[in-house]
Amino acid sequence: MNEKCMRKERIVLPGISEAQEILSGSISSVTFQNAENGYAILRLSCDDGDTHTVVGTIPMPAVGERLIVTGHWVRHASYGPQFQAEFLDRLLPDSRHGIIAFLSTRIIKGVGERTAEKIVERFGEDSLRVIESSPERLTAIPGISLKRANEISKSFRSQLGLRRLIEYLSGYQMPAEYGVRLYKRYGERAVSELETNPYVLSDPEFGAPFSTVDAFALSVGCSEDDPRRLDAAVLYELIHNLGNGHVFLPEDKLLGATSSLLNLEGDGLKEACDRLDETSRMIRDTVAGLQVCYLPEYYQAECGITGRIMEMTGRTLPEPKGFARIMERIARNHAVTYVEQQVEAIRAAATSQVMALTGGPGTGKTTTLAGMLEMFDAIGLKTMLCAPTGRAAKRLSELTGREAATIHRLLEPQFQGENLGHVFFHDEREPLDTDVLVVDEMSMVDLLLFQSLLRALKPDCRLILVGDPDQLPSVGAGNVFSDLLRSGSIRTVRLTEVFRQAQESLIIMNAHAVNQGQMPELGIRDRDCFFLRRRDPGSVQTTIRDLISQRLPDNMGIPASEIQVLSPTRKGETGTARLNQILQEALNPKENGKRERTYGSILFREGDRVMQIRNNYDIIWMKPGEREAGTGVFNGDIGQIQEISPDMEMVSVLFDDGRLANYDFSQLSELEPAWAMTVHKSQGSEYRAVLLVATPGSPFLLTRSVLYTAITRARELLIVVGDEQVIAAMVQNDRQTRRYSGLKLRLEKAFREKQGIAG
């Protein structure tokens, strides 16, 4: 048996340190292993006579096997020095004693210590080759039938498959976790899939940067103009730009970006687009006279949304009998006097299958929504409420006095099984059991989520969309709420009158001033919104730290847990990354017994406030003390680290809505500190107090919409710390981030066709 099959010359890729050490020896014991991600803690008896603890991605380690480990030393707070494995070569044992020790670990199904001794007694140092290649020979051992022999061989070959895949990748300095993910998807076909197309690793589910995959593929023999390389690069650009909010890219811009990515000219990229279009891996279409390129699911989402919205706008509903009397009763019960715009909005909700309610702070959206819900109750319609994030749903519930859920929890994500991805339980076949669905903070809803929401509605279900279109658009691709409003395809009521009580709030009045391009009033110290001039980064850091840790808690009775620091940017001395480090030391300092874990450049500590930064449908959660459990933690969910367990390699996070979820250490890339967060990440949330950093930075981030969104996050107090010239520049910078989206044009075209209008 060739135990070193598929070994290649070791290649050093960009970003790999050459100041690494190498340990070689045999595994003497395995302390911990995670079957899902391959993480392991083991003891290695080294060739120099020492024994060391080795940690890292080492799938299915077994006592007796030899390792050559490349990595570096780290110091664990509780367990002292450990060797962090980055790359490794694995050699199966070749001595009789080593083979018995290896097989006795029960790493192979159907083989224990006694069976291992019998196999080695019979076949000696040739035992592993017999198990792999000639399992029928095992039947010579009493008690092993042909069926059992084949099962033993199958289990062993499965082990070898992953081991050889890891060894193959390690030969090119590719991290072992990519091999674990590949093997989970392809099984024993993983190496052949890689050899057929190395760029399969650029699939987002494997998490490998395109530059890393490209270097690997070129190392194994792909040419610069290989069609597989060109196809993967085009798809990478489309996927990458989803993160910039773009649903599609004009083909000329797509070709230009891909050419720069690969540093390649010529007709090959145009041919790649042709191939992808012909095989339906990419969809070409014409939008506003331009030839554009979509990923298929985004094209289907735009078309699907357009079709469903047109169906809903085609239904005209009669005004409920006694509408005026119902309104009088609702107003009397709530001691409210509705203005004309509010009555118009409630009537629109009663007579439209889909409508939008918009308006800035203090214009009565919540009061109007409460009236709508009472009206639906009066005419016997069942209602459900939802919002994009947990905080937004909690706030909606508090404002209306009714249960509200996140959109994801409402739709109930379902895991289909390995390689099949996720779907929502509620769709056309299992629609939501409601007559009316209310969606708050609609500006945060991206294209794919809105499509899923529409699919889950019964044909006659009404849809009420509530939001503020002047806030920042969704983090995900698309500009759905704005496209719906600007298309003119749905009934829309925009509330514009700021009520007298709201006029007493300087936060609200400043928000409206900024939205109209006027400088906010920041000089009044006895109101709820004021400014502290700090023009150097160090004084900004000190002021923010003192405000949240001492001055506001001590002088105004606002605890740090109810204060949120916001910054337009992640980078720089006043960006969220640096501020989180400072605030962690001020609010949750290092203490004896308080465990920590470093992931990349981030130090996580028990007691830290953290945020989930991407949707994960697999994480299991439960509510302590309640008989409720489920799966799924989503982008924007905020919680606190309750426990860091080095033994279990787990971090427990208690989220604001009471869910407790466990993360293994390999999943920590999905969390980031949340003492400070970007304005974009704060969407849909409201905080008792907000500390906003206003310091020089990129004009792409220092915009009017960012300032407006930040101001409207504060409920009782807003303190702006920084330079008033930056605030003035933000007010004047009405730069609208352009997103390539075809939804508005599709809706307009469909609406014209429905109305019989040419053009």
Side-chain angles (χ1 to χ4, degrees):
M1 177 174 58
N2 182 8
E3 297 171 347
K4 295 281 287 180
C5 65
M6 294 181 290
R7 294 290 297 120
K8 306 286 184 180
E9 179 184 357
R10 192 174 291 277
I11 306 296
V12 178
L13 298 183
I16 299 299
S17 169
E18 295 190 23
Q20 296 168 320
E21 294 186 38
I22 297 176
L23 298 182
S24 62
S26 298
I27 297 176
S28 58
S29 64
V30 177
T31 306
F32 171 83
Q33 59 179 310
N34 185 320
E36 289 298 311
N37 59 30
Y39 187 89
I41 304 173
L42 54 86
R43 297 285 286 171
L44 191 70
S45 296
C46 296
D47 296 340
D48 60 6
D50 292 333
T51 299
H52 299 293
T53 298
V54 177
V55 299
T57 304
I58 310 171
M60 295 181 288
V63 172
E65 72 170 309
R66 288 187 54 78
L67 300 182
I68 302 174
V69 189
T70 303
H72 62 277
W73 289 100
V74 296
R75 176 167 289 277
H76 192 280
S78 302
Y79 299 102
Q82 298 178 337
F83 194 76
Q84 177 72 51
E86 295 176 7
F87 308 100
L88 63 147
D89 295 328
R90 307 180 70 158
L91 302 174
L92 290 171
D94 53 11
S95 68
R96 297 171 69 95
H97 175 76
I99 294 172
I100 290 175
F102 173 75
L103 294 177
S104 296
T105 60
R106 296 189 179 276
I107 196 168
I108 299 174
K109 186 177 180 181
V111 178
E113 184 175 355
R114 294 191 63 183
T115 303
E117 291 173 349
K118 291 178 181 179
I119 291 174
V120 174
E121 182 181 347
R122 177 81 181 190
F123 300 107
E125 296 173 0
D126 208 25
S127 296
L128 297 181
R129 189 192 64 77
V130 170
I131 293 174
E132 180 186 16
S133 305
S134 307
E136 68 281 357
R137 294 178 62 189
L138 295 176
T139 60
I141 298 173
I144 298 183
S145 64
L146 182 59
K147 179 181 178 181
R148 185 183 176 193
N150 287 330
E151 288 174 348
I152 291 171
S153 181
K154 181 180 179 181
S155 176
F156 182 57
R157 290 198 307 273
S158 176
Q159 295 276 346
L160 287 183
L162 178 55
R163 290 162 182 269
R164 288 170 175 168
L165 175 61
I166 297 297
E167 185 178 87
Y168 177 59
L169 291 173
S170 182
Y172 296 95
Q173 297 285 303
M174 293 289 282
E177 57 260 34
Y178 300 152
V180 176
R181 296 168 192 162
L182 274 167
Y183 201 80
K184 286 179 69 175
R185 177 168 172 179
Y186 293 113
E188 295 181 16
R189 297 185 293 111
V191 171
S192 63
E193 289 287 342
L194 270 182
E195 291 174 336
T196 300
N197 182 11
Y199 287 94
V200 70
L201 270 172
S202 62
D203 189 310
E205 76 173 275
F206 301 127
F210 183 82
S211 58
T212 300
V213 178
D214 196 37
F216 164 67
L218 294 173
S219 298
V220 298
C222 286
S223 63
E224 290 192 348
D225 60 353
D226 190 306
R228 297 170 297 179
R229 182 178 192 241
L230 306 187
D231 292 358
V234 170
L235 292 176
Y236 166 79
E237 284 294 342
L238 287 174
I239 294 168
H240 172 75
N241 277 282
L242 294 174
N244 297 324
H246 299 309
V247 179
F248 65 76
L249 289 180
E251 187 163 338
D252 61 339
K253 293 187 178 295
L254 174 60
L255 292 172
T258 312
S259 177
S260 298
L261 175 70
L262 300 179
N263 193 26
L264 193 67
E265 302 288 343
D267 296 330
L269 292 174
K270 183 68 166 59
E271 294 169 0
C273 287
D274 292 339
R275 279 192 302 273
L276 293 170
D277 186 29
E278 290 168 3
T279 56
S280 298
R281 289 182 288 165
M282 184 188 82
I283 303 294
R284 278 190 175 119
D285 197 17
T286 301
V287 175
L290 294 175
Q291 181 160 285
V292 302
C293 301
Y294 286 85
L295 291 168
E297 62 181 322
Y298 288 85
Y299 173 79
Q300 292 158 9
E302 277 196 352
C303 295
I305 290 170
T306 300
R308 185 63 196 273
I309 290 294
M310 287 300 104
E311 290 174 5
M312 298 177 79
T313 57
R315 295 188 66 206
T316 301
L317 305 173
E319 184 175 296
K321 292 181 180 180
F323 178 76
R325 290 195 305 274
I326 294 172
M327 289 299 302
E328 289 175 3
R329 185 171 69 251
I330 294 172
R332 185 170 57 252
N333 291 343
H334 291 275
V336 172
T337 300
Y338 291 109
V339 300
E340 183 178 345
Q341 283 183 334
Q342 292 177 306
V343 175
E344 178 191 353
I346 297 172
R347 180 178 286 108
T351 58
S352 308
Q353 190 176 358
V354 56
M355 66 88 60
L357 174 66
T358 77
T363 58
K365 288 199 303 293
T366 301
T367 302
T368 305
L369 177 57
M372 290 180 181
L373 295 172
E374 291 280 352
M375 183 269 299
F376 288 135
D377 289 345
I379 62 177
L381 297 181
K382 181 179 179 180
T383 59
M384 284 185 176
L385 284 69
C386 64
T389 67
R391 277 184 172 262
K394 183 178 180 182
R395 178 168 169 257
L396 178 61
S397 182
E398 292 169 347
L399 291 173
T400 62
R402 301 179 182 229
E403 184 180 354
T406 64
I407 297 174
H408 286 89
R409 289 193 66 188
L410 191 73
L411 297 179
E412 297 183 43
Q414 304 288 304
F415 182 58
Q416 292 183 291
E418 293 293 344
N419 311 330
L420 296 178
H422 298 84
V423 296
F424 289 114
F425 174 74
H426 291 291
D427 57 15
E428 300 91 342
R429 294 164 297 182
E430 295 287 347
L432 293 166
D433 181 21
T434 187
D435 303 310
V436 183
L437 182 66
V438 176
V439 186
D440 196 18
E441 295 290 351
M442 183 60 199
S443 62
M444 297 178 64
V445 179
D446 62 39
L447 189 77
L448 294 186
L449 188 56
F450 190 58
Q451 180 201 27
S452 296
L453 203 57
L454 290 178
R455 291 180 59 198
L457 301 182
K458 295 186 296 187
D460 59 349
C461 182
R462 305 182 193 213
L463 181 62
I464 310 297
L465 307 175
V466 184
D468 185 346
D470 296 317
Q471 292 185 19
L472 294 167
S474 59
V475 174
N479 205 1
V480 175
F481 196 41
S482 177
D483 285 350
L484 286 167
L485 299 179
R486 292 185 298 120
S487 71
S489 60
I490 65 173
R491 184 93 173 264
T492 302
V493 177
R494 178 161 189 155
L495 304 178
T496 57
E497 180 178 340
V498 181
F499 288 90
R500 181 178 301 174
Q501 183 178 358
Q503 292 177 13
E504 298 175 2
S505 168
L506 196 56
I507 292 173
I508 290 176
M509 298 312 295
N510 276 338
H512 284 280
V514 167
N515 208 24
Q516 295 163 14
Q518 301 169 10
M519 189 69 179
E521 173 57 67
L522 298 172
I524 303 175
R525 289 300 185 96
D526 60 350
R527 297 284 291 276
D528 56 3
C529 181
F530 58 93
F531 171 72
L532 298 177
R533 181 182 294 111
R534 302 290 188 272
R535 287 182 172 163
D536 68 276
S539 61
V540 170
Q541 294 171 355
T542 301
T543 300
I544 291 289
R545 182 196 63 203
D546 292 347
L547 282 168
I548 192 171
S549 63
Q550 296 177 349
R551 291 166 62 180
L552 295 184
D554 294 347
N555 300 330
M556 300 188 69
I558 304 177
S561 60
E562 297 182 18
I563 304 168
Q564 185 60 57
V565 176
L566 299 180
S567 174
T569 181
R570 292 177 53 85
K571 300 178 180 179
E573 287 300 296
T574 56
T576 59
R578 180 64 183 127
L579 288 174
N580 271 312
Q581 294 173 341
I582 294 168
L583 295 177
Q584 182 189 52
E585 290 309 306
L587 300 172
N588 188 33
K590 183 181 183 67
E591 295 178 5
N592 288 335
K594 189 180 286 185
R595 287 169 290 196
E596 302 174 348
R597 174 68 183 183
T598 299
Y599 189 92
S601 61
I602 298 175
L603 172 67
F604 292 101
R605 182 177 292 146
E606 290 177 341
D608 277 349
R609 183 191 295 177
V610 292
M611 173 190 288
Q612 174 79 13
I613 59 172
R614 63 177 62 92
N615 291 338
N616 187 321
Y617 297 90
D618 295 337
I619 293 180
I620 298 172
W621 56 262
M622 61 175 293
K623 289 194 174 182
E626 301 180 26
R627 292 184 177 180
E628 184 179 357
T631 60
V633 181
F634 304 106
N635 190 6
D637 287 352
I638 304 289
Q640 184 182 54
I641 294 179
Q642 300 295 294
E643 181 183 5
I644 297 176
S645 173
D647 292 340
M648 298 300 295
E649 298 289 327
M650 289 289 184
V651 174
S652 298
V653 178
L654 181 65
F655 288 96
D656 288 349
D657 60 2
R659 290 172 299 149
L660 181 68
N662 292 325
Y663 294 73
D664 65 53
F665 282 178
S666 69
Q667 294 175 305
L668 290 180
S669 62
E670 300 190 4
L671 294 174
E672 66 179 26
W675 305 108
M677 68 176 69
T678 63
V679 177
H680 284 78
K681 286 289 188 182
S682 73
Q683 286 176 268
S685 299
E686 186 179 72
Y687 308 94
R688 185 176 174 188
V690 166
L691 307 180
L692 173 64
V693 174
T695 53
S698 167
F700 290 99
L701 296 173
L702 300 179
T703 67
R704 183 186 300 175
S705 60
V706 168
L707 180 58
Y708 175 76
T709 300
I711 292 172
T712 55
R713 298 309 91 202
R715 184 171 70 249
E716 294 182 16
L717 178 66
L718 171 69
I719 302 177
V720 182
V721 181
D723 189 338
E724 62 265 49
Q725 295 179 4
V726 172
I727 300 170
M730 294 178 79
V731 171
Q732 295 304 311
N733 183 9
D734 195 23
R735 180 195 302 266
Q736 300 294 321
T737 302
R738 183 182 179 188
R739 291 187 167 198
Y740 289 117
S741 166
L743 182 60
K744 172 180 174 288
L745 295 175
R746 293 184 194 281
L747 288 166
E748 287 177 339
K749 180 181 178 183
F751 189 69
R752 287 195 304 267
E753 291 174 350
K754 189 172 74 171
Q755 300 295 320
I757 302 172

